[in-house]
Amino acid sequence: MNTTQPQKALPAPTFTDRLLEIGIKYKKQLTALFIVVCLAAGGTLFWMQKSRVDQTEASLALAKITPWIETGDLNRAMNGEGSIKGLNAIAKTWGGTPSGNMARLYMGNILLSNGKTDDALAMYQSFKSGNKDLQASALAGAAACRVQKKAFAEAAPEYEKASETAESETLKSMYLAKAAESYSAAGQPDNAAKLYDQVIKTWPGTSSAGMARRALLRLSGAGVQIPQI
């Protein structure tokens, strides 16, 4: 009689067994990966801490020169004095921080007021902000540079974009009215009339709407067909 017992099937490996197998088989690779992950995490933490420190320093530096900006002492605001950094240095030193970024917007405004349109345009175009009204202000600043250069056809769509970007209804109406004004100066009265009409109908109670009504009357007097107000 055959006394040989049938061989039992081995149980299927569990998830834990598979993890242990992988750990043994790829021990060197996993150790290296763990080191890389630790270094990356440490680097991220260091960068976050450095960013906070940089922003604090940039914010304090900007606060020191804010009185000069408010009183119109623009030369000192731009270049600083003694140990106090001006906007130029703040933007170069802490350009990646919110306060360093704001320094660019201030510089754009000052350069534009001094007639340095190309330099101002560069500042406005380098400004990036999650605050929509501030970003709209930079777009409008760039458009104002085009106006100073009498490039009205280029200024108009930039003002339109500023109006679309802004959250403030007052800014939206003002920038769209400026876009219409630029189209008119560019010899595109039909586009101007369309935007003036939009300002009046969308923001009827604003000062921009009042200005738009007067502008439409002038266009009508010049023979331009205007929408019914």
Side-chain angles (χ1 to χ4, degrees), residues 20-153:
L20 182 60
E21 178 186 343
I22 292 170
I24 294 171
K25 188 174 181 180
Y26 300 104
K27 181 178 179 181
K28 288 184 180 180
Q29 292 91 329
L30 289 172
T31 300
L33 178 62
F34 176 74
I35 292 171
V36 170
V37 170
C38 287
L39 288 174
T44 301
L45 181 60
F46 170 79
W47 178 252
M48 289 174 63
Q49 290 174 337
K50 184 179 185 304
S51 296
R52 283 195 292 268
V53 171
D54 285 349
Q55 167 55 18
T56 299
E57 292 178 350
S59 179
L60 288 173
L62 196 59
K64 290 178 181 178
I65 64 171
T66 298
W68 294 341
I69 297 172
E70 292 174 346
T71 58
D73 193 348
L74 303 184
N75 184 56
R76 283 205 294 177
M78 285 287 285
N79 302 309
E81 185 177 78
S83 61
I84 300 177
K85 292 181 183 292
L87 291 169
N88 218 334
I90 292 171
K92 287 179 179 177
T93 307
W94 301 291
T97 68
S99 292
N101 195 35
M102 274 301 299
R104 293 193 185 97
L105 187 59
Y106 282 130
M107 287 174 68
N109 294 338
I110 292 172
L111 290 166
L112 179 61
S113 68
N114 288 335
K116 298 179 180 179
T117 52
D118 289 335
D119 293 336
L121 183 60
M123 287 297 112
Y124 288 131
Q125 290 178 333
S126 66
F127 180 83
K128 298 291 181 289
S129 175
N131 183 303
K132 291 185 177 180
D133 285 339
L134 286 177
Q135 189 62 52
S137 178
L139 290 168
C145 291
R146 309 287 190 195
V147 168
Q148 278 203 4
K149 293 163 75 73
K150 300 191 183 304
F152 302 112

Side-chain angles (χ1 to χ4, degrees), residues 122-224:
M123 287 297 112
Y124 288 131
Q125 290 178 333
S126 66
F127 180 83
K128 298 291 181 289
S129 175
N131 183 303
K132 291 185 177 180
D133 285 339
L134 286 177
Q135 189 62 52
S137 178
L139 290 168
C145 291
R146 309 287 190 195
V147 168
Q148 278 203 4
K149 293 163 75 73
K150 300 191 183 304
F152 302 112
E154 295 177 34
E158 287 187 325
Y159 273 130
E160 285 188 270
K161 188 174 180 181
S163 177
E164 293 169 3
T165 302
E167 287 187 323
S168 164
E169 298 299 310
T170 300
L171 292 178
K172 280 181 173 293
S173 62
M174 181 176 70
Y175 294 149
L176 198 62
K178 285 184 176 293
E181 186 179 333
S182 296
Y183 275 126
S184 184
Q188 301 179 38
D190 291 337
N191 286 338
K194 180 181 176 182
L195 294 190
Y196 281 135
D197 181 59
Q198 185 178 337
V199 171
I200 293 167
K201 290 178 177 175
T202 308
W203 303 283
T206 63
S207 59
S208 296
M211 184 275 287
R213 289 188 183 91
R214 293 189 295 272
L216 279 181
L217 289 174
R218 288 195 298 271
L219 287 174
S220 178
V224 178

